[in-house]
Amino acid sequence: LGTGGGSAMAKPAAGGGGGGPVAPFVKAYDDFLAEHFAPVQAAAKTLGAADVEVIVGAFGAALQAQKQMLVVASKCKKPSDSDLQKALKATSEGMAKVDSLKDRRSKMFNHLAMVAEGAACLQWVVVEPTPAPYLSDVIPGSDMYGNKIMMEWKGKDENHVAFAKAFRTLLLELQKYVKQHHTTGLVWNPSGGTDYSAAAAGGPPAPPAGGPPKAGGPPGPPP
């Protein structure tokens, strides 16, 4: 991942389990995951292909790592380039894990490649000032394999077609999320702190000294 990101104010919304405020863009990302990743995971399970389920699980873990980075961004000011690289660590490792599972020997190579190419979309957090248009450039790389899946399986096993369509929808909905909430780059909190360690570790942020506990971290990666 490179460097970049916007510095617009992250305006916390009241509420959020665990006692801490939850920024609207974090809540929106949770909603995006709940609505659009679950169908991809469910579709993968219908294929009877363990390697597809594994790569989808790894993609889900990378999405959760990115969610944790968003939580940290909502609580921290825009970091230096070196601190940004630390904050990106868990997301970068998640993307690398997905890519490592693209096995050309697999009978489901197109499925694996579609997901692996889609992982490049998670780099939007370092693109400014046009992260949504960036996604327009990288989504077709995943679509190429999704189209191959649909051509191969249409009329033979519609579960594969449904999987390809669900994954494409996931990426397009991610683009909509980015366009709405991070129009010119990842939003940071100018009034926030400088503890980026939770994003690097993929865990919940540490509570500030003398302050109330932060909200808990995101749920673990999907099975």
Side-chain angles (χ1 to χ4, degrees), residues 11-208:
K11 299 178 181 179
V22 177
F25 68 75
V26 175
K27 174 64 167 59
Y29 193 84
D30 271 336
D31 292 343
F32 152 72
L33 289 179
E35 185 173 354
H36 299 293
F37 178 70
V40 173
Q41 196 170 30
K45 291 182 183 297
T46 69
L47 305 182
D51 51 355
V52 176
E53 290 191 50
V54 169
I55 199 171
V56 167
F59 191 90
L63 288 170
Q64 288 292 352
Q66 182 154 97
K67 181 267 177 77
Q68 186 56 44
M69 184 176 180
L70 295 175
V71 171
V72 170
S74 74
K75 300 176 186 297
C76 295
K77 63 183 63 177
K78 187 176 179 180
S80 66
D81 286 350
S82 60
D83 281 335
L84 178 59
Q85 291 304 318
K86 295 175 184 176
L88 290 166
K89 183 173 183 290
T91 300
S92 297
E93 290 178 348
M95 293 170 59
K97 176 64 175 178
V98 173
D99 190 64
S100 73
L101 295 169
K102 185 174 66 175
D103 185 355
R104 289 189 174 276
R105 299 168 297 179
S106 172
K107 294 180 180 179
M108 297 293 177
F109 172 73
N110 286 334
H111 301 63
L112 304 181
M114 178 183 72
V115 176
E117 291 294 324
C121 291
L122 301 187
Q123 294 190 82
W124 71 265
V125 292
V126 298
V127 177
E128 62 175 3
T130 54
Y134 161 77
L135 290 171
S136 294
D137 291 337
V138 297
I139 288 175
S142 176
D143 280 348
M144 179 179 71
Y145 293 100
N147 290 336
K148 288 181 179 181
I149 293 169
M150 289 189 281
M151 290 177 62
E152 179 181 356
W153 293 96
K154 186 176 181 180
K156 300 176 183 176
D157 187 340
E158 293 299 316
N159 287 330
H160 294 265
V161 175
F163 174 66
K165 289 182 176 179
F167 191 77
R168 184 171 195 272
T169 296
L170 173 72
L171 300 185
L172 293 176
E173 290 297 327
L174 175 62
Q175 183 180 33
K176 289 181 183 179
Y177 164 81
V178 171
K179 185 175 182 179
Q180 179 176 352
H181 296 280
H182 305 273
T183 308
T184 59
L186 175 62
V187 174
W188 297 88
N189 187 339
S191 302
T194 57
D195 181 5
Y196 310 104
S197 60

